[in-house]
Amino acid sequence: MKKNKKKELSTFKKINRRDLIIGASSIGAFSLAPKKLLSEEANPENLPPNLPEWTQYLGDGVDVNPYGMPSEFEGHVIRRNVEWLTASAESSVNFTPLQDLEGIVTPNGLCFERHHGGVSVINPQDFRLMINGLVDREMIFTLDDLKRFPQTNKFYFLECAANGGMEWRGSQLNGCQYTFGMVHNVQYTGVKLSDLLLETGLKEKAKWVLAEGSDSSGMTRSIPIEKILDDCIIAWAMNGEALRPEQGYPARLVVPGWEGNMWVKWIRRLEFGDKPYMTREETSKYTDLLTSGKARMFTWVMDAKSVITSPSPEKPIIAKGLHQLRGLAWSGRGKIKRVDVSIDGGKNWKTAQLHSPVLSKSLTRFTLPFEWNGEELLLQSRAIDETNYVQPTISELQKIRGVNSIYHNNSIATWLVSKNGKVDNVRLG
Ligand code: MTE
Ligand code: CO
């Protein structure tokens, strides 16, 4: 067993609980301090049988926050980036704080962001979606035009193909957020492309679509027509409100179960053709280099994966006794059928409880009660989807893929729980 030695918690001299949450990220160079520093202990004057102080005066009236924000005591629940990972913030990524979330819905303000040319700011009046190429009628739609079509409302996860990409050769980043947080799950509202295309018609020769973004990176990807007609959506809303600018306002392409890169944000054009367009994002990027020197291409589907969100490096165990292990599982092939959990590094497995709703191509919540008496644990979770695909171990994956890949690492992770309750990302082997 090799531990992540780079920046261990022990290098933080005086650890209180808040520092532990911060320090366990092991990245160091940024401030996670919430606006108001919380005291570690409860104030006895606010505890029973006393009347707490907040009962003694009136609180804020309505409209103090016309657009509500989380409690000031939740200031540590934020997206975070790893500054040394990318050269500039405009072409970079930050991570969803999975360890702090409940259920399966990612709040809009916490959805990880991945931009190749920064966030475009688009007045919806200036938005146009152009459909051209091998269609019967080339057309241009306004946002209002799109909203006149029948609507669909669906939960889907979006995972960047690079999620966990740093972990191919060993455990690198000591945090649930940094190793798994390039995923979010929201309810999209939009129009199914199969409905929209009834309007333009499709020529028989149309086999591929080029989806083009209007941001400065000019993001383009080829998508086979079968997928476009199956379940792709042009979405303008997430979790009941307009898309956030970071997520492609006013409209983005939704490609359920397939790698995040294909979900073109700030969408402006769909061109229909008879072959793939071989864009930069599907030739030099988003391919998987094998040991043979050849690369896998068009690896679109996100295979089944899972993560234990608590306990995790950011969520150490703070007391002996009964605890609820919590986690998330997902598959780009459909529904999650089962999640197994091991506390001994994969020797024995127990079936976790799946919480409804269990939706296709959506995050699924699982829990498992466990008793901790101060012993060392090696926590793992393994997802199995409705096609009976089983999430692999890292050595199983490396046998096929080598260690030169960046993308599509869906291997089982291991959290080491030490005797003091501290949790670290480790590699077994
Ligand atoms: N679309 C455009 N126009 N520009 C981009 O940089 N990044 C892609 C994809 N769509 C990108 C884009 C990548 S790599 C991912 S993982 C997802 O958007 C991220 O979506 P999110 O920012 O909503 O999490
Ligand atoms: Co991506």
Side-chain angles (χ1 to χ4, degrees), residues 171-411:
S171 62
Q172 290 287 321
L173 296 172
N174 205 11
C176 171
Q177 184 162 5
Y178 297 111
T179 48
F180 284 89
M182 280 193 232
V183 65
H184 53 62
N185 198 61
V186 306
Q187 188 186 36
Y188 292 98
T189 302
V191 51
K192 284 192 74 174
L193 270 171
S194 53
D195 285 338
L196 196 58
L197 293 172
L198 293 176
E199 204 68 14
T200 61
L202 269 185
K203 296 237 191 288
E204 217 174 289
K205 274 188 161 172
K207 295 282 177 269
W208 290 82
V209 177
L210 178 79
E212 182 185 67
S214 63
D215 54 329
S216 66
S217 79
M219 173 66 60
T220 40
R221 281 297 299 256
S222 310
I223 302 169
I225 193 91
E226 296 78 17
K227 179 66 177 173
I228 288 286
L229 295 177
D230 177 21
D231 56 2
C232 289
I233 297 171
I234 298 289
W236 53 81
M238 56 196 284
N239 289 336
E241 63 178 2
L243 286 186
R244 291 289 172 92
E246 304 93 300
Q247 264 68 46
Y249 181 91
R252 89 176 301 167
L253 182 62
V254 170
V255 191
W258 286 20
E259 61 186 15
N261 185 257
M262 305 174 90
W263 298 46
V264 174
K265 302 192 275 191
W266 312 290
I267 185 94
R268 76 179 284 269
R269 195 165 71 91
L270 296 171
E271 180 181 308
F272 288 77
D274 57 1
K275 45 183 164 324
Y277 290 78
M278 308 308 276
T279 71
R280 187 191 81 125
E281 303 298 315
E282 54 211 16
T283 51
S284 101
K285 309 289 175 200
Y286 298 95
T287 57
D288 310 317
L289 185 57
L290 303 171
T291 0
S292 64
K294 291 201 168 175
R296 304 195 312 164
M297 199 174 62
F298 296 149
T299 46
W300 301 307
V301 178
M302 300 308 294
D303 289 318
K305 192 165 172 179
S306 63
V307 56
I308 296 172
T309 54
S310 175
S312 64
E314 295 93 331
K315 297 284 172 200
I317 312 185
I318 49 171
K320 290 183 183 168
L322 183 67
H323 292 275
Q324 301 294 327
L325 181 142
R326 294 198 292 276
L328 291 164
W330 60 98
S331 166
R333 295 177 203 278
K335 288 185 186 171
I336 287 295
K337 182 166 137 188
R338 203 177 86 209
V339 176
D340 299 328
V341 169
S342 173
I343 60 168
D344 56 12
K347 289 190 198 115
N348 298 288
W349 297 92
K350 266 190 182 170
T351 302
Q353 187 197 341
L354 301 186
H355 292 248
S356 64
V358 177
L359 303 170
S360 183
K361 302 172 189 173
S362 159
L363 294 191
T364 297
R365 174 62 67 178
F366 67 87
T367 59
L368 186 71
F370 74 103
E371 181 96 14
W372 186 65
N373 294 307
E375 70 276 31
E376 232 178 56
L377 304 175
L378 289 166
L379 300 179
Q380 297 187 333
S381 64
R382 175 173 73 186
I384 297 147
D385 71 17
E386 62 179 340
T387 70
N388 290 323
Y389 174 97
V390 182
Q391 186 184 356
T393 63
I394 183 74
S395 44
E396 284 167 346
L397 201 58
Q398 282 173 345
K399 259 184 222 143
I400 302 163
R401 302 272 306 279
V403 291
N404 297 324
S405 276
I406 299 169
Y407 307 108
H408 295 280
N409 176 4
N410 68 318
S411 63

Side-chain angles (χ1 to χ4, degrees), residues 22 80 90 102 128-129 149 164 207 236 262 338 377 418 421:
I22 297 164
R80 296 186 172 93
E90 291 79 20
E102 309 283 0
R128 295 292 183 276
L129 174 67
F149 281 83
K207 295 282 177 269
W236 53 81
M262 305 174 90
R338 203 177 86 209
L377 304 175
S418 299

Side-chain angles (χ1 to χ4, degrees), residues 112 114 116 159-162 182 260-261 286:
F112 85 94
R114 173 74 175 108
H116 291 70
E159 184 182 19
C160 180
M182 280 193 232
N261 185 257
Y286 298 95

Side-chain angles (χ1 to χ4, degrees), residues 41-57:
E41 304 291 333
N43 177 356
E45 284 168 28
N46 284 331
L47 303 182
N50 300 330
L51 269 182
E53 61 165 309
W54 55 88
T55 61
Q56 320 286 320
Y57 52 83

